[in-house]
Amino acid sequence: MIKTGWVDEKGKKHPQITTHFEPDKARQAFPCFDEPSFKIMIKMVVDHPAGYRCNSASPLLTQKHVSKNVIRSEFEETEPMSIYLLAINVHDMTQVRGETTRGIPVSVLTPPHKKAGAQVTLEWAIKALDHFERYLDCKYPFKKLDLMGIYDFNAGGMENIGMIHLLYDCAYIEKESITVKTLLYCRVVIVHEVSHMWFGNLVSVKWWDDLWLKEGFARFITSYAMDQMKTDRKAGAHMFEVLDSSYVQGIEVDKFKFTKPVRQTLRNSYDAAAMFNSLSYAKGAFILKSVERLIGAAAFRTGLRDYFTKFKFKSANFDDFVACFGNIENGISVGDYMKKWLNQPGFPIITSERVGNTIKLEQTRFTESPKYHTSQSWYVPLNYKTEKSSPTSYRLMMEKNWVIDYTLDHGYSLSNTFSILNSNFGHWYALDTDNIVFGLHQYEDDNYKLLALALRENSFVLSNATKMVEVTNLELLMKSSRINPQIVLDISRYVSKEANMDVVSKWWLTLLYIKRNLQDKDLYIKFNIYLRSLLIEKVRNAVKLSFDDTKAWVLRKNYCWLLILGVKWRVKEAIHAARELYHRFKEGNHINANFLGYILRHYIRKPSHWPILFKRLNSYPQSQKELRTMIRMLAKTDNESHQKLLLTYSRTSHIIPRSVVKSTLCYVAWRNPHLAWTYFKAHYEYYFRLYGESQFSMNSLLQCLVGNLNTREDYEDAKAFFKVNSAGTGTSGLKRGLKSANVFKNSSGKKSDTGDEVICITVKKESLTKSFSRWWEETFGKEDYFDIDNALDDFGGINED
């Protein structure tokens, strides 16, 4: 049982009791077998204080007073269910109601002042229920569905049967109080949790080693569903955006040598907490995406329908699932294919090299250290596009080495030859154009040069999806020292002509990595000028618009970071808008959340402005997103006493929910890692009590804290501290933090004096600085291509943010 509450408009906290039993906490509430394979029908009877309501998995049957101050609520018997999916909520919220096309009652439990936001959530939940019933040809299996925001919730959502728990902001969506990015996230979370009513609830996993079967499926099917549902986005946009973020998220975890397979042996339910990680969600989703593409959408949908028919109100495992599908090609079954990806750690990198009339392909395991080799291989789905051909269909690369022979006059052969029609092969080629492979590909340098020239001539030679794939590959290959940063810079020269703002945003983040690692001031200035040459026209166009005028989703999503650049680059209209908004904020007016970070980041470092913002914490934030934004800006101060005050406030104020307490510590760690680490140690028991058994929270907290340490003393202190204190479910996050600690950013990559192998995740700063210097001279000449003095005047000086 969890004691929490919600805060009304006047700042008063209303107490609330809720539960979160996944994976093994139901046994702490009452005697039971709470492993997922056990399914029973439950009839709940709850005694609770008068003046409060109670909601659970099934509809309320009767309610009566058992004493003056106690009410007994009795609920209808549930369908067969796993006990960890039971929820009990005692609260004093109100309710907004609706129903699906088929008449299933749906409601959102809400504080009275959040009704408008709850209505948005209600509409999306109903849309999702209707969609999944149609797509799966399987009726919603339970009697009703309630949704509720939990103020102190430590996750995005929880798919309790008939009673979904959501992050507070996602349950009460107020468009003025959250950013466009957060709005997309909330939509995804709502649909994700609704999808679990089938994937995980109607059919549960037999044991936690197949957690991917519900979480990976929910991640994949959510992106698929949102593209089918009526939204304000183009077809395919959700599938691409959700899975692209999953791709990066999963690869950033799976690239380490010590990573584990998606499926692994678990001894007990307590160990199951370690399975709630990026691999089960992100890698699992990508594997399912590739299966759907390889066997076809119709066959995939038929297999799902068969799966739900066979295992309705039962449990299933890997073998049960793959038995519902056939072969992919050449006798390779869906089961054979998925075992290659689920049962071994890591992912492949496909390297290609043009030799005469052929292109040789080789797959090896990718790790952050190019010198690390294994004998692993995968069944890798590949397609290609050339200068003169459209993308081909996907086929499996089943050997470690393949050859593309473009002199052959036929399609794919059944041996290890990957053939391209002779008449279609042009000067450049691209692999995996739709990004269905959970892995990377690396071309020979000449092909990168040809792609750079082609994009500068015509930015539409590659689809937006293919360009996103290529930029992601370039960034990860550069960070692991597999390609020269000059290749990335050379290809980036076309970006000023790029029309798709998602692609532009992706390029911005990639180039920002180079900028932040430059060690020469003059080169740093030159890089800023280069960035400005790529983006200044897009910034000027964005400044001309108001947020409400930008109808297109992508433009709204990318609007604010362009305005931030406008202020940094001293674009007069952007500065004027920022000042006007800041003065409105100081006078007590509410500012759209999309602009809040934009205006505050340029004022908060002035000592006189910090107390103004800190004072507003108790009265201003309308959402947790606004709260996070304000705390993030406050943490940017260089005043250590202010940072310590912020940490103490986050730990003691009833305004700050648990999820934001963790974020506050990380925001300070980015700015002052020593203070954040010493504060964590001093209050270790408090933080461990909040997050020690939460896989996502403890992992991200420890990776952030330890990964930002920038002195040898703090690094050794952290190692010693966790030899005698538990990292809880954050063991893998601690390992990643120790491997990537800032103390090693300039390391040679050799073993340290403590005997630990230092794995450099980032490109060496010295090497990257030299690469940019050479590229600048080769591209623009030793004479300044840009007027640096005038550019500096235009910038008004360049400050790293």
Side-chain angles (χ1 to χ4, degrees):
M1 295 287 183
I2 301 170
K3 184 178 180 180
T4 179
W6 56 275
V7 181
D8 63 22
E9 292 174 295
K10 298 180 180 179
K12 178 184 176 182
K13 188 167 185 178
H14 296 246
Q16 176 184 343
I17 295 294
T18 188
T19 58
H20 185 89
F21 290 151
E22 187 181 45
D24 64 340
K25 299 298 180 289
R27 65 187 68 178
Q28 296 179 8
F30 42 78
C32 64
F33 295 100
D34 56 5
E35 287 81 1
S37 60
F38 293 103
K39 293 213 170 193
I40 62 170
M41 292 178 285
I42 302 172
K43 192 167 184 178
M44 288 294 301
V45 179
V46 181
D47 289 352
H48 57 86
Y52 288 81
R53 302 171 57 192
C54 184
N55 289 75
S56 190
S58 55
L60 183 66
L61 185 63
T62 63
Q63 197 172 63
K64 62 181 180 181
H65 279 272
V66 294
S67 69
K68 180 180 179 181
N69 297 317
V70 178
I71 290 178
R72 176 166 294 167
S73 295
E74 184 175 348
F75 297 88
E76 295 182 20
E77 188 174 70
T78 68
E79 293 78 7
M81 62 179 287
S82 301
I83 299 179
Y84 81 88
L85 292 167
L86 178 68
I88 305 166
N89 286 289
V90 178
H91 59 91
D92 62 347
M93 291 184 174
T94 186
Q95 203 165 11
V96 294
R97 303 174 186 270
E99 63 179 33
T100 66
T101 302
R102 202 167 55 82
I104 298 295
V106 184
S107 77
V108 179
L109 305 170
T110 176
H113 67 292
K114 296 286 187 179
K115 276 189 175 182
Q119 189 65 39
V120 178
T121 300
L122 179 68
E123 292 170 3
W124 268 89
I126 290 172
K127 282 183 181 180
L129 286 169
D130 284 339
H131 167 78
F132 287 119
E133 284 197 338
R134 289 192 303 270
Y135 175 76
L136 298 172
D137 194 21
C138 179
K139 294 179 179 179
Y140 175 70
F142 308 108
K143 297 173 183 176
K144 57 93 178 176
L145 179 62
D146 298 326
L147 300 94
M148 170 186 264
I150 308 296
Y151 194 75
D152 280 327
F153 203 37
N154 216 17
M158 176 60 204
E159 68 274 12
N160 307 298
I161 286 177
M163 183 71 253
I164 289 175
H165 290 168
L166 296 170
L167 193 67
Y168 195 76
D169 280 359
C170 290
Y172 316 116
I173 300 173
E174 298 180 8
K175 293 185 179 181
E176 285 298 307
S177 298
I178 60 174
T179 63
V180 174
K181 184 178 180 180
T182 304
L183 179 59
L184 170 62
Y185 170 77
C186 290
R187 288 180 175 180
V188 169
V189 169
I190 292 165
V191 179
H192 178 102
E193 302 307 330
V194 170
S195 75
H196 270 311
M197 298 300 121
W198 288 267
F199 298 96
N201 294 9
L202 176 60
V203 181
S204 301
V205 296
K206 283 184 178 177
W207 186 236
W208 297 111
D209 55 356
D210 278 319
L211 181 69
W212 67 273
L213 189 50
K214 76 183 188 77
E215 295 299 350
F217 233 119
R219 176 74 62 89
F220 163 68
I221 211 69
T222 293
S223 60
Y224 193 92
M226 290 183 69
D227 279 331
Q228 307 300 313
M229 295 160 61
K230 186 178 179 181
T231 71
D232 54 355
R233 306 201 69 194
K234 293 181 179 179
H238 286 295
M239 169 72 81
F240 180 76
E241 185 159 5
V242 174
L243 290 188
D244 176 67
S245 63
S246 295
Y247 172 74
V248 175
Q249 180 187 39
I251 275 182
E252 286 293 338
V253 172
D254 211 21
K255 69 185 180 183
F256 292 98
K257 288 191 296 183
F258 56 77
T259 191
K260 295 181 180 180
V262 175
R263 298 185 77 228
Q264 51 188 287
T265 301
L266 294 176
R267 297 170 300 169
N268 52 54
S269 291
Y270 179 80
D271 291 344
M275 298 298 292
F276 289 83
N277 55 44
S278 297
L279 298 183
S280 295
Y281 286 73
K283 190 174 183 179
F286 244 83
I287 295 167
L288 290 163
K289 176 187 178 183
S290 64
V291 169
E292 192 256 2
R293 178 60 64 88
L294 289 169
I295 68 175
F300 187 75
R301 190 174 178 183
T302 299
L304 289 182
R305 290 173 175 175
D306 186 30
Y307 175 67
F308 286 111
T309 299
K310 287 182 178 179
F311 298 102
K312 184 176 183 180
F313 292 120
K314 299 177 182 178
S315 300
N317 60 16
F318 172 85
D319 292 329
D320 297 326
F321 174 74
V322 298
C324 297
F325 300 87
N327 288 346
I328 295 176
E329 65 172 89
N330 300 335
I332 303 297
S333 69
V334 168
D336 295 332
Y337 172 80
M338 295 187 76
K339 283 177 183 177
K340 282 278 191 178
W341 291 93
L342 294 171
N343 293 352
Q344 61 179 332
F347 57 87
I349 176 173
I350 310 299
T351 54
S352 62
E353 181 183 8
R354 200 188 315 251
V355 180
N357 291 329
T358 64
I359 294 178
K360 293 185 177 181
L361 304 176
E362 181 182 6
Q363 60 162 299
T364 55
R365 179 177 171 182
F366 178 94
T367 65
E368 75 283 10
S369 173
K371 296 179 181 179
Y372 181 72
H373 297 287
T374 72
S375 60
Q376 292 174 252
S377 66
W378 290 260
Y379 292 145
V380 183
L382 282 180
N383 80 332
Y384 61 86
K385 172 182 169 54
T386 72
E387 186 171 348
K388 297 180 180 179
S389 72
S390 300
T392 64
S393 58
Y394 276 86
R395 298 294 295 274
L396 286 184
M397 177 182 177
M398 293 180 285
E399 309 289 341
K400 284 184 70 68
N401 296 281
W402 266 33
V403 177
I404 299 178
D405 188 340
Y406 51 89
T407 64
L408 299 178
D409 194 24
H410 57 78
Y412 299 92
S413 71
L414 299 180
S415 66
N416 65 341
T417 300
F418 193 25
S419 308
I420 294 180
L421 295 176
N422 182 35
S423 60
N424 285 338
F425 195 82
H427 292 292
W428 56 261
Y429 63 94
L431 300 174
D432 187 26
T433 59
D434 289 333
N435 195 23
I436 73 166
V437 179
F438 189 82
L440 301 176
H441 55 261
Q442 179 179 353
Y443 309 125
E444 73 275 19
D445 288 357
D446 286 344
N447 194 56
Y448 283 121
K449 292 176 182 177
L450 293 170
L451 282 169
L453 289 171
L455 286 167
R456 287 204 291 275
E457 291 176 4
N458 178 9
S459 64
F460 297 99
V461 294
L462 297 178
S463 69
N464 293 331
T466 304
K467 283 182 282 192
M468 291 286 276
V469 173
E470 295 299 342
V471 180
T472 301
N473 271 262
L474 287 169
E475 180 180 356
L476 293 170
L477 292 169
M478 175 179 63
K479 286 181 176 180
S480 62
S481 303
R482 282 176 166 81
I483 62 171
N484 192 316
Q486 290 178 245
I487 291 173
V488 180
L489 291 162
D490 199 44
I491 297 176
S492 73
R493 291 176 63 190
Y494 92 95
V495 171
S496 60
K497 300 177 181 178
E498 177 58 62
N500 183 277
M501 287 306 299
D502 277 336
V503 178
V504 172
S505 177
K506 192 77 172 177
W507 268 112
W508 165 254
L509 294 174
T510 300
L511 294 172
L512 205 58
Y513 171 82
I514 299 176
K515 172 186 167 182
R516 286 172 174 167
N517 283 280
L518 292 176
Q519 293 184 308
D520 182 277
K521 183 178 179 181
D522 289 340
L523 292 178
Y524 185 84
I525 292 171
K526 288 179 178 179
F527 199 90
N528 272 286
I529 295 168
Y530 175 63
L531 288 175
R532 190 178 189 278
S533 72
L534 296 180
L535 298 173
I536 188 61
E537 289 306 314
K538 293 176 172 56
V539 169
R540 285 174 174 151
N541 290 333
V543 170
K544 294 175 184 177
L545 302 169
S546 73
F547 185 83
D548 293 331
D549 291 338
T550 55
K551 303 296 183 184
W553 178 286
V554 173
L555 193 55
R556 293 204 306 269
K557 187 162 66 72
N558 291 287
Y559 184 50
C560 288
W561 72 270
L562 289 172
L563 291 179
I564 290 168
L565 288 181
V567 172
K568 293 179 73 172
W569 291 346
R570 298 297 188 265
V571 176
K572 292 180 180 179
E573 295 85 352
I575 294 173
H576 176 76
R579 285 174 177 164
E580 184 178 312
L581 286 169
Y582 182 69
H583 287 307
R584 287 178 56 194
F585 172 79
K586 281 181 64 177
E587 292 167 2
N589 295 300
H590 189 272
I591 303 298
N592 185 294
N594 293 278
F595 295 116
L596 190 59
Y598 155 58
I599 63 169
L600 294 182
R601 67 193 301 148
H602 299 288
Y603 291 95
I604 194 59
R605 290 183 185 171
K606 297 180 180 179
S608 60
H609 289 279
W610 198 93
I612 296 172
L613 181 55
F614 184 73
K615 188 176 180 180
R616 298 292 299 278
L617 274 179
N618 278 305
S619 59
Y620 180 83
Q622 302 297 309
S623 70
Q624 290 184 17
K625 175 60 182 177
E626 289 181 330
L627 190 62
R628 288 176 190 272
T629 300
M630 294 177 72
I631 290 175
R632 188 174 73 250
M633 295 302 111
L634 284 165
K636 286 180 176 289
T637 179
D638 293 321
N639 186 314
E640 187 168 300
S641 63
H642 283 166
Q643 292 170 334
K644 192 169 184 179
L645 178 62
L646 185 63
L647 288 171
T648 302
Y649 180 81
S650 74
R651 203 171 49 82
T652 57
S653 171
H654 76 276
I655 294 286
I656 310 295
R658 288 191 300 169
S659 58
V660 181
V661 172
K662 178 196 72 173
S663 299
T664 306
L665 199 58
C666 285
Y667 295 149
V668 173
W670 295 340
R671 197 76 182 172
N672 189 340
H674 175 74
L675 173 64
W677 169 244
T678 54
Y679 194 88
F680 171 81
K681 283 196 308 176
H683 303 283
Y684 164 77
E685 292 183 359
Y686 168 80
Y687 288 110
F688 191 85
R689 187 170 66 253
L690 287 186
Y691 307 120
E693 295 184 350
S694 173
Q695 170 71 7
F696 283 119
S697 296
M698 200 62 175
N699 266 334
S700 60
L701 177 60
L702 294 186
Q703 184 172 357
C704 169
L705 275 178
V706 179
N708 278 290
L709 296 178
N710 55 7
T711 67
R712 171 65 67 177
E713 291 76 13
D714 283 342
Y715 176 79
E716 295 297 340
D717 186 39
K719 288 177 63 179
F721 182 83
F722 285 109
K723 284 182 179 179
V724 296
N725 293 281
S726 173
T729 55
T731 303
S732 60
L734 175 62
K735 287 182 179 179
R736 291 195 293 271
L738 290 170
K739 293 290 186 183
S740 61
N742 282 336
V743 69
F744 296 130
K745 286 295 176 72
N746 294 318
S747 169
S748 65
K750 297 179 181 179
K751 288 189 176 182
S752 66
D753 53 9
T754 61
D756 296 315
E757 184 182 2
V758 179
I759 300 173
C760 295
I761 294 177
T762 59
V763 179
K764 300 182 188 71
K765 292 186 178 183
E766 297 89 344
S767 174
L768 207 153
T769 301
K770 290 177 182 178
S771 292
F772 176 68
S773 179
R774 285 194 299 269
W775 176 80
W776 181 275
E777 289 188 8
E778 292 171 6
T779 304
F780 304 120
K782 292 186 178 181
E783 297 298 324
D784 290 327
Y785 181 82
F786 301 99
D787 187 341
I788 292 182
D789 290 334
N790 287 337
L792 282 174
D793 289 340
D794 191 25
F795 281 161
I798 301 173
N799 295 311
E800 176 67 10
D801 202 20

